[in-house]
Amino acid sequence: MRQLADIPHPEAKITLFSWNGKYLIKLERGPFEQTYKVSEMDVTSEDDVRALLDDEFVEAAVQRFTQMRQDLQAAFSRHDL
């Protein structure tokens, strides 16, 4: 796996990788991470992948991190942990 870029963003760490014929977009926030795989056949360049990371996409991912945290907390609560 080859790291192509760190993309600065105030809400999450965003890293772009290339691996096995795919671009991997990895977003991290605290203990949670999301990875999106985009086939190199679906885009023409790394710039196309960066274009996918518009405000709407990143905001949805940030909201998903909140839901992930809530889901984990709920599981802990269900099992009295």
Coordinates of all heavy atoms in Angstrom, one line a residue:
M1 N 0.8 -1.2 0.0 CA 0.0 0.0 0.0 C 0.9 1.2 0.0 O 1.9 1.3 0.8 CB -0.9 0.0 1.2 CG -1.9 1.1 1.2 SD -3.1 1.1 2.5 CE -3.3 -0.5 3.1
R2 N 0.5 2.2 -0.9 CA 1.3 3.4 -1.0 C 0.5 4.6 -0.6 O -0.6 4.8 -1.1 CB 1.8 3.5 -2.4 CG 2.7 4.7 -2.7 CD 3.3 4.6 -4.1 NE 2.3 4.7 -5.1 CZ 2.0 5.7 -5.9 NH1 2.7 6.8 -5.8 NH2 1.1 5.6 -6.8
Q3 N 1.1 5.4 0.4 CA 0.4 6.6 0.8 C 0.6 7.7 -0.2 O 1.7 8.0 -0.6 CB 0.9 7.0 2.1 CG 0.1 8.3 2.7 CD 0.6 8.6 4.1 OE1 1.0 7.8 4.8 NE2 0.4 9.9 4.4
L4 N -0.5 8.3 -0.7 CA -0.4 9.3 -1.7 C -0.4 10.7 -1.2 O 0.2 11.6 -1.6 CB -1.5 9.1 -2.8 CG -1.6 7.8 -3.5 CD1 -2.8 7.8 -4.4 CD2 -0.3 7.6 -4.3
A5 N -1.3 10.9 -0.1 CA -1.5 12.2 0.4 C -2.1 12.2 1.8 O -2.9 11.3 2.1 CB -2.3 13.0 -0.5
D6 N -1.8 13.2 2.6 CA -2.6 13.6 3.8 C -3.3 14.8 3.4 O -2.7 15.8 2.9 CB -1.6 13.9 4.9 CG -1.1 12.6 5.6 OD1 -1.8 11.7 5.8 OD2 0.1 12.7 6.0
I7 N -4.6 14.8 3.5 CA -5.5 15.9 3.1 C -6.0 16.6 4.4 O -6.7 16.0 5.1 CB -6.6 15.4 2.2 CG1 -6.1 14.6 1.0 CG2 -7.6 16.5 1.9 CD1 -7.1 13.9 0.2
P8 N -5.5 17.8 4.5 CA -5.9 18.5 5.8 C -7.4 18.8 5.9 O -8.0 19.1 4.9 CB -5.1 19.8 5.7 CG -4.3 19.8 4.4 CD -4.7 18.6 3.7
H9 N -7.9 18.5 7.1 CA -9.3 18.9 7.4 C -9.4 19.0 8.9 O -8.8 18.2 9.6 CB -10.2 17.8 6.9 CG -11.6 18.2 6.8 ND1 -12.4 18.1 7.9 CD2 -12.4 18.7 5.8 CE1 -13.6 18.6 7.6 NE2 -13.6 18.9 6.3
P10 N -10.2 20.0 9.3 CA -10.3 20.2 10.8 C -11.1 19.2 11.6 O -10.9 19.0 12.8 CB -10.9 21.6 10.9 CG -11.7 21.8 9.6 CD -10.9 21.0 8.6
E11 N -11.9 18.5 10.9 CA -12.8 17.5 11.6 C -12.3 16.1 11.6 O -12.8 15.3 12.4 CB -14.2 17.5 10.9 CG -14.9 18.9 10.9 CD -15.5 19.2 12.3 OE1 -15.7 18.3 13.1 OE2 -15.7 20.4 12.5
A12 N -11.4 15.7 10.7 CA -11.0 14.3 10.6 C -9.6 14.3 9.9 O -9.3 15.1 9.1 CB -12.0 13.5 9.8
K13 N -8.9 13.2 10.2 CA -7.6 13.0 9.5 C -8.0 12.2 8.2 O -8.7 11.2 8.3 CB -6.7 12.2 10.3 CG -5.4 11.9 9.6 CD -4.5 11.0 10.4 CE -3.2 10.7 9.6 NZ -2.4 9.7 10.3
I14 N -7.6 12.8 7.1 CA -7.9 12.1 5.8 C -6.6 11.7 5.1 O -5.8 12.6 4.9 CB -8.8 13.1 4.9 CG1 -10.0 13.5 5.6 CG2 -9.1 12.4 3.6 CD1 -10.8 14.6 4.9
T15 N -6.5 10.5 4.8 CA -5.4 10.0 4.1 C -5.8 9.2 2.8 O -6.8 8.5 2.8 CB -4.6 9.0 5.0 OG1 -4.4 9.6 6.3 CG2 -3.2 8.7 4.4
L16 N -5.0 9.5 1.7 CA -5.3 8.8 0.5 C -4.2 7.8 0.2 O -3.0 8.2 0.2 CB -5.4 9.9 -0.6 CG -5.7 9.4 -2.0 CD1 -7.1 8.7 -2.1 CD2 -5.7 10.6 -3.0
F17 N -4.6 6.6 -0.2 CA -3.7 5.5 -0.5 C -4.0 5.0 -1.9 O -5.1 5.1 -2.4 CB -3.8 4.4 0.5 CG -3.5 4.7 1.9 CD1 -4.5 5.1 2.8 CD2 -2.2 4.6 2.4 CE1 -4.2 5.3 4.1 CE2 -1.9 4.9 3.7 CZ -2.9 5.3 4.6
S18 N -3.0 4.3 -2.4 CA -3.2 3.5 -3.6 C -2.8 2.1 -3.3 O -1.7 1.8 -2.7 CB -2.3 4.0 -4.7 OG -2.4 3.2 -5.9
W19 N -3.7 1.1 -3.7 CA -3.4 -0.3 -3.3 C -4.2 -1.2 -4.2 O -5.4 -1.1 -4.3 CB -3.7 -0.5 -1.9 CG -3.4 -1.9 -1.4 CD1 -2.2 -2.6 -1.3 CD2 -4.4 -2.9 -1.1 NE1 -2.4 -3.8 -0.9 CE2 -3.7 -4.1 -0.7 CE3 -5.8 -2.9 -1.0 CZ2 -4.4 -5.2 -0.3 CZ3 -6.4 -4.0 -0.6 CH2 -5.7 -5.2 -0.3
N20 N -3.6 -2.1 -4.9 CA -4.2 -3.2 -5.6 C -5.3 -2.8 -6.5 O -6.4 -3.3 -6.6 CB -4.8 -4.2 -4.5 CG -5.0 -5.6 -5.1 OD1 -4.4 -6.0 -6.0 ND2 -5.9 -6.3 -4.4
G21 N -5.0 -1.7 -7.3 CA -5.9 -1.3 -8.3 C -7.0 -0.4 -7.8 O -8.0 -0.2 -8.5
K22 N -6.8 0.1 -6.6 CA -7.9 0.9 -5.9 C -7.2 2.1 -5.2 O -6.1 2.1 -4.8 CB -8.6 0.1 -4.9 CG -9.5 -1.0 -5.4 CD -10.2 -1.8 -4.3 CE -11.0 -2.9 -4.8 NZ -10.2 -3.9 -5.5
Y23 N -8.0 3.2 -5.1 CA -7.7 4.3 -4.3 C -8.4 4.0 -3.0 O -9.6 3.6 -3.0 CB -8.1 5.6 -4.8 CG -7.3 6.1 -6.0 CD1 -7.9 5.9 -7.3 CD2 -6.1 6.6 -5.9 CE1 -7.1 6.4 -8.4 CE2 -5.4 7.1 -7.0 CZ -5.9 6.9 -8.2 OH -5.2 7.4 -9.3
L24 N -7.8 4.2 -1.8 CA -8.4 4.0 -0.6 C -8.4 5.4 0.1 O -7.4 6.1 0.2 CB -7.7 3.1 0.4 CG -7.9 1.6 0.2 CD1 -7.4 1.1 -1.2 CD2 -7.3 0.8 1.3
I25 N -9.6 5.8 0.5 CA -9.8 7.1 1.2 C -10.1 6.7 2.7 O -11.1 6.1 3.0 CB -11.0 7.9 0.7 CG1 -10.9 8.1 -0.8 CG2 -11.2 9.2 1.5 CD1 -12.2 8.6 -1.5
K26 N -9.1 7.1 3.5 CA -9.3 6.7 4.9 C -9.5 8.0 5.8 O -8.7 8.9 5.7 CB -8.0 6.0 5.4 CG -8.0 5.5 6.9 CD -6.8 4.8 7.2 CE -6.8 4.4 8.7 NZ -5.5 3.7 9.0
L27 N -10.6 8.0 6.5 CA -10.9 9.1 7.4 C -10.8 8.5 8.8 O -11.4 7.5 9.1 CB -12.3 9.6 7.1 CG -12.5 10.2 5.7 CD1 -13.1 9.2 4.8 CD2 -13.4 11.4 5.8
E28 N -10.2 9.3 9.7 CA -10.1 8.9 11.1 C -10.5 10.1 12.0 O -10.2 11.2 11.7 CB -8.6 8.6 11.4 CG -8.0 7.4 10.6 CD -6.6 7.2 10.9 OE1 -6.2 6.6 11.9 OE2 -5.8 7.7 10.1
R29 N -11.2 9.7 13.1 CA -11.5 10.6 14.1 C -11.6 9.9 15.4 O -12.4 9.0 15.6 CB -12.9 11.3 13.8 CG -13.2 12.4 14.8 CD -14.5 13.1 14.3 NE -14.7 14.2 15.2 CZ -15.8 15.0 15.1 NH1 -16.7 14.8 14.2 NH2 -15.9 16.0 15.9
G30 N -10.7 10.3 16.3 CA -10.6 9.5 17.6 C -10.3 8.1 17.3 O -9.5 7.7 16.5
P31 N -11.0 7.2 18.0 CA -10.8 5.8 17.9 C -11.5 5.1 16.7 O -11.5 3.9 16.5 CB -11.4 5.2 19.2 CG -12.5 6.1 19.5 CD -12.0 7.5 19.1
F32 N -12.2 6.0 15.9 CA -13.0 5.4 14.8 C -12.3 5.7 13.4 O -11.6 6.7 13.3 CB -14.4 6.0 14.8 CG -15.1 5.8 16.1 CD1 -15.2 6.8 17.0 CD2 -15.6 4.5 16.4 CE1 -15.8 6.5 18.3 CE2 -16.2 4.3 17.6 CZ -16.3 5.3 18.6
E33 N -12.6 4.9 12.5 CA -12.1 5.1 11.1 C -13.1 4.6 10.1 O -13.9 3.7 10.4 CB -10.7 4.5 10.9 CG -10.6 3.0 10.9 CD -9.2 2.5 10.6 OE1 -8.3 3.0 11.3 OE2 -9.1 1.6 9.8
Q34 N -13.1 5.2 8.9 CA -13.9 4.8 7.8 C -13.0 4.7 6.6 O -12.1 5.6 6.4 CB -15.0 5.8 7.5 CG -15.9 6.1 8.6 CD -16.9 7.3 8.3 OE1 -17.5 7.3 7.2 NE2 -17.0 8.2 9.3
T35 N -13.1 3.7 5.8 CA -12.3 3.5 4.6 C -13.3 3.3 3.4 O -14.2 2.4 3.5 CB -11.3 2.3 4.7 OG1 -10.5 2.5 5.9 CG2 -10.5 2.2 3.5
Y36 N -13.0 4.1 2.4 CA -13.8 3.9 1.1 C -12.8 3.5 0.0 O -11.7 4.1 -0.1 CB -14.4 5.3 0.8 CG -15.4 5.8 1.8 CD1 -15.0 6.5 2.9 CD2 -16.7 5.5 1.7 CE1 -15.9 6.9 3.9 CE2 -17.7 5.9 2.6 CZ -17.2 6.6 3.7 OH -18.1 7.0 4.7
K37 N -13.2 2.5 -0.7 CA -12.4 2.0 -1.8 C -13.0 2.4 -3.2 O -14.2 2.2 -3.4 CB -12.3 0.5 -1.8 CG -11.6 0.0 -0.5 CD -11.6 -1.5 -0.5 CE -11.0 -2.0 0.8 NZ -11.1 -3.5 0.9
V38 N -12.2 3.0 -4.0 CA -12.6 3.5 -5.3 C -11.7 2.8 -6.3 O -10.5 3.0 -6.3 CB -12.5 5.0 -5.4 CG1 -12.9 5.5 -6.8 CG2 -13.3 5.7 -4.3
S39 N -12.3 2.1 -7.2 CA -11.5 1.4 -8.3 C -10.8 2.4 -9.2 O -11.4 3.5 -9.5 CB -12.5 0.6 -9.1 OG -11.8 0.0 -10.2
E40 N -9.6 2.1 -9.5 CA -8.9 3.0 -10.5 C -9.6 3.0 -11.8 O -9.3 4.0 -12.6 CB -7.4 2.5 -10.6 CG -6.6 2.8 -9.3 CD -5.2 2.3 -9.5 OE1 -4.8 1.7 -10.5 OE2 -4.4 2.6 -8.5
M41 N -10.4 2.1 -12.1 CA -11.2 2.1 -13.3 C -12.4 3.1 -13.3 O -12.9 3.4 -14.4 CB -11.7 0.7 -13.6 CG -10.7 -0.4 -13.6 SD -9.5 -0.2 -15.0 CE -10.5 -0.6 -16.4
D42 N -12.8 3.5 -12.1 CA -13.9 4.4 -12.0 C -13.5 5.9 -12.1 O -14.4 6.8 -12.1 CB -14.6 4.2 -10.7 CG -15.3 2.8 -10.7 OD1 -15.6 2.3 -11.8 OD2 -15.6 2.3 -9.6
V43 N -12.2 6.2 -12.0 CA -11.7 7.6 -12.0 C -10.5 7.7 -12.9 O -9.9 6.7 -13.3 CB -11.3 8.1 -10.6 CG1 -12.6 8.2 -9.7 CG2 -10.3 7.2 -10.0
T44 N -10.2 8.9 -13.4 CA -9.1 9.0 -14.3 C -7.8 9.4 -13.6 O -6.7 9.2 -14.2 CB -9.4 10.1 -15.4 OG1 -9.7 11.3 -14.7 CG2 -10.6 9.6 -16.2
S45 N -7.9 9.9 -12.4 CA -6.7 10.3 -11.7 C -6.9 10.5 -10.2 O -8.0 10.5 -9.7 CB -6.2 11.7 -12.3 OG -7.1 12.7 -11.9
E46 N -5.8 10.8 -9.5 CA -5.9 11.1 -8.1 C -6.7 12.3 -7.9 O -7.4 12.5 -6.9 CB -4.5 11.2 -7.5 CG -4.4 11.6 -6.1 CD -3.0 11.8 -5.6 OE1 -2.0 11.2 -6.1 OE2 -2.8 12.6 -4.7
D47 N -6.7 13.3 -8.8 CA -7.4 14.5 -8.7 C -8.9 14.2 -8.6 O -9.7 14.9 -7.9 CB -7.1 15.5 -9.8 CG -5.7 16.1 -9.7 OD1 -5.2 16.1 -8.6 OD2 -5.2 16.5 -10.7
D48 N -9.4 13.2 -9.4 CA -10.8 12.9 -9.4 C -11.2 12.3 -8.0 O -12.3 12.6 -7.5 CB -11.1 11.8 -10.4 CG -11.1 12.3 -11.8 OD1 -11.1 13.5 -12.0 OD2 -11.1 11.4 -12.7
V49 N -10.3 11.6 -7.4 CA -10.6 11.1 -6.0 C -10.7 12.2 -5.0 O -11.6 12.3 -4.2 CB -9.5 10.0 -5.6 CG1 -9.8 9.5 -4.2 CG2 -9.5 8.9 -6.6
R50 N -9.8 13.2 -5.2 CA -9.8 14.3 -4.3 C -11.1 15.1 -4.5 O -11.6 15.7 -3.5 CB -8.6 15.2 -4.5 CG -7.3 14.7 -4.0 CD -6.1 15.6 -4.4 NE -4.9 15.1 -3.9 CZ -4.2 15.6 -2.9 NH1 -4.8 16.6 -2.2 NH2 -3.1 15.1 -2.5
A51 N -11.6 15.2 -5.7 CA -12.8 15.9 -6.0 C -14.0 15.3 -5.2 O -15.0 16.0 -4.9 CB -13.1 16.0 -7.5
L52 N -13.9 14.0 -5.0 CA -15.0 13.3 -4.3 C -15.1 13.8 -2.9 O -16.2 13.7 -2.2 CB -14.8 11.8 -4.3 CG -14.8 11.0 -5.6 CD1 -14.4 9.6 -5.4 CD2 -16.2 11.1 -6.2
L53 N -14.0 14.3 -2.3 CA -13.9 14.7 -0.9 C -14.5 16.1 -0.8 O -13.8 17.0 -0.1 CB -12.5 14.6 -0.4 CG -11.9 13.2 -0.4 CD1 -10.5 13.2 -0.1 CD2 -12.7 12.3 0.6
D54 N -15.6 16.4 -1.3 CA -16.2 17.7 -1.2 C -16.8 17.9 0.2 O -16.9 16.9 1.0 CB -17.2 18.0 -2.3 CG -18.4 17.0 -2.3 OD1 -18.6 16.2 -1.3 OD2 -19.1 17.0 -3.3
D55 N -17.3 19.1 0.5 CA -17.9 19.4 1.8 C -19.0 18.4 2.2 O -19.1 18.0 3.3 CB -18.3 20.8 1.8 CG -17.2 21.8 1.8 OD1 -16.1 21.5 2.1 OD2 -17.5 23.0 1.5
E56 N -19.9 18.1 1.2 CA -21.0 17.3 1.5 C -20.6 15.9 1.9 O -21.1 15.3 2.9 CB -21.9 17.2 0.3 CG -23.2 16.5 0.5 CD -24.2 16.6 -0.6 OE1 -24.0 17.5 -1.5 OE2 -25.1 15.7 -0.7
F57 N -19.6 15.3 1.2 CA -19.1 14.0 1.5 C -18.4 13.9 2.9 O -18.7 13.1 3.7 CB -18.1 13.5 0.5 CG -17.5 12.2 0.7 CD1 -18.1 11.0 0.3 CD2 -16.3 12.0 1.5 CE1 -17.6 9.8 0.5 CE2 -15.8 10.8 1.7 CZ -16.4 9.6 1.2
V58 N -17.6 14.9 3.2 CA -16.8 14.9 4.4 C -17.8 15.2 5.6 O -17.7 14.5 6.6 CB -15.7 15.9 4.4 CG1 -15.0 16.0 5.8 CG2 -14.7 15.5 3.4
E59 N -18.8 16.1 5.4 CA -19.7 16.3 6.5 C -20.5 15.1 6.8 O -20.8 14.8 8.0 CB -20.7 17.5 6.1 CG -21.7 17.8 7.2 CD -21.1 18.1 8.5 OE1 -20.1 18.7 8.6 OE2 -21.8 17.8 9.6
A60 N -20.9 14.3 5.8 CA -21.7 13.1 6.0 C -20.8 12.1 6.8 O -21.3 11.4 7.7 CB -22.1 12.5 4.7
A61 N -19.5 12.0 6.4 CA -18.6 11.1 7.1 C -18.4 11.5 8.6 O -18.4 10.7 9.5 CB -17.3 11.0 6.4
V62 N -18.3 12.8 8.8 CA -18.2 13.3 10.2 C -19.4 13.0 11.0 O -19.3 12.5 12.2 CB -17.9 14.8 10.2 CG1 -18.0 15.4 11.6 CG2 -16.5 15.1 9.7
Q63 N -20.6 13.1 10.4 CA -21.8 12.7 11.1 C -21.9 11.2 11.4 O -22.4 10.8 12.4 CB -23.1 13.2 10.3 CG -23.3 14.6 10.3 CD -24.4 15.1 9.4 OE1 -25.1 14.2 8.8 NE2 -24.6 16.4 9.2
R64 N -21.3 10.5 10.5 CA -21.3 9.0 10.7 C -20.4 8.7 11.8 O -20.7 7.7 12.6 CB -20.8 8.3 9.4 CG -21.1 6.9 9.3 CD -20.9 6.4 7.8 NE -21.9 6.9 6.9 CZ -21.6 7.8 5.9 NH1 -20.4 8.2 5.7 NH2 -22.6 8.3 5.2
F65 N -19.3 9.4 12.0 CA -18.4 9.2 13.2 C -19.2 9.4 14.5 O -19.1 8.6 15.4 CB -17.2 10.1 13.2 CG -16.1 9.7 12.3 CD1 -15.6 10.6 11.4 CD2 -15.5 8.5 12.4 CE1 -14.6 10.2 10.5 CE2 -14.5 8.1 11.6 CZ -14.0 9.0 10.7
T66 N -20.1 10.4 14.5 CA -20.9 10.6 15.7 C -21.9 9.4 15.9 O -22.0 8.9 17.1 CB -21.8 11.9 15.5 OG1 -20.8 13.0 15.4 CG2 -22.7 12.2 16.7
Q67 N -22.5 8.9 14.9 CA -23.3 7.7 15.0 C -22.6 6.5 15.4 O -23.1 5.7 16.2 CB -24.0 7.5 13.6 CG -25.1 6.4 13.7 CD -26.2 6.7 14.7 OE1 -26.8 7.8 14.6 NE2 -26.5 5.8 15.6
M68 N -21.3 6.3 14.9 CA -20.5 5.2 15.3 C -20.2 5.2 16.8 O -20.3 4.2 17.5 CB -19.2 5.2 14.5 CG -19.3 4.9 13.1 SD -17.8 5.3 12.1 CE -16.8 3.9 12.6
R69 N -19.9 6.4 17.3 CA -19.7 6.6 18.8 C -20.9 6.2 19.6 O -20.9 5.5 20.5 CB -19.2 8.0 19.1 CG -18.9 8.2 20.6 CD -18.3 9.6 20.9 NE -18.8 10.7 20.1 CZ -20.0 11.4 20.3 NH1 -20.8 11.0 21.3 NH2 -20.3 12.4 19.5
Q70 N -22.1 6.7 19.1 CA -23.3 6.4 19.8 C -23.7 5.0 19.8 O -24.1 4.4 20.8 CB -24.5 7.3 19.1 CG -24.4 8.7 19.4 CD -25.4 9.5 18.6 OE1 -26.0 9.0 17.7 NE2 -25.4 10.8 18.9
D71 N -23.4 4.3 18.6 CA -23.7 2.9 18.5 C -22.8 2.1 19.5 O -23.3 1.1 20.1 CB -23.4 2.4 17.1 CG -24.4 2.9 16.1 OD1 -25.5 3.4 16.5 OD2 -24.1 2.8 14.9
L72 N -21.5 2.5 19.6 CA -20.6 1.8 20.5 C -21.0 2.0 22.0 O -21.1 1.1 22.8 CB -19.2 2.2 20.3 CG -18.1 1.5 21.1 CD1 -18.1 0.0 20.9 CD2 -16.7 2.1 20.8
Q73 N -21.4 3.2 22.3 CA -21.8 3.5 23.7 C -23.1 2.8 24.0 O -23.2 2.2 25.1 CB -22.0 5.0 23.8 CG -20.8 5.8 23.9 CD -21.0 7.3 23.9 OE1 -22.1 7.8 23.5 NE2 -20.0 8.1 24.3
A74 N -24.0 2.6 23.1 CA -25.2 1.9 23.3 C -24.9 0.4 23.5 O -25.5 -0.2 24.4 CB -26.2 2.1 22.1
A75 N -24.0 -0.1 22.8 CA -23.6 -1.5 23.0 C -23.0 -1.8 24.4 O -23.3 -2.7 25.0 CB -22.6 -2.0 21.9
F76 N -22.1 -0.8 24.8 CA -21.6 -0.9 26.1 C -22.7 -0.9 27.2 O -22.7 -1.7 28.1 CB -20.6 0.2 26.4 CG -19.2 -0.1 26.0 CD1 -18.7 0.2 24.7 CD2 -18.3 -0.6 26.9 CE1 -17.4 0.0 24.4 CE2 -17.0 -0.9 26.6 CZ -16.5 -0.6 25.4
S77 N -23.7 0.0 27.0 CA -24.8 0.1 27.9 C -25.6 -1.1 28.0 O -26.0 -1.6 29.1 CB -25.6 1.3 27.6 OG -24.9 2.5 27.7
R78 N -25.9 -1.7 26.8 CA -26.7 -2.9 26.8 C -26.1 -4.1 27.5 O -26.8 -4.9 28.1 CB -26.9 -3.4 25.3 CG -28.0 -2.6 24.6 CD -28.4 -3.3 23.3 NE -27.3 -3.6 22.4 CZ -26.7 -2.8 21.5 NH1 -27.1 -1.5 21.4 NH2 -25.7 -3.1 20.7
H79 N -24.8 -4.1 27.6 CA -24.0 -5.2 28.2 C -23.4 -4.8 29.6 O -22.6 -5.4 30.1 CB -23.0 -5.7 27.3 CG -23.6 -6.2 26.0 ND1 -24.2 -7.5 25.9 CD2 -23.7 -5.7 24.8 CE1 -24.6 -7.7 24.7 NE2 -24.3 -6.6 24.0
D80 N -23.9 -3.6 30.1 CA -23.4 -3.1 31.4 C -21.9 -3.1 31.5 O -21.3 -3.5 32.5 CB -24.0 -3.9 32.5 CG -25.5 -3.8 32.6 OD1 -26.0 -2.7 32.4 OD2 -26.2 -4.8 32.9
L81 N -21.3 -2.6 30.4 CA -19.8 -2.5 30.4 C -19.4 -1.0 30.5 O -20.0 -0.1 30.2 CB -19.2 -3.1 29.1 CG -19.5 -4.6 28.9 CD1 -19.1 -5.0 27.5 CD2 -18.8 -5.4 29.9

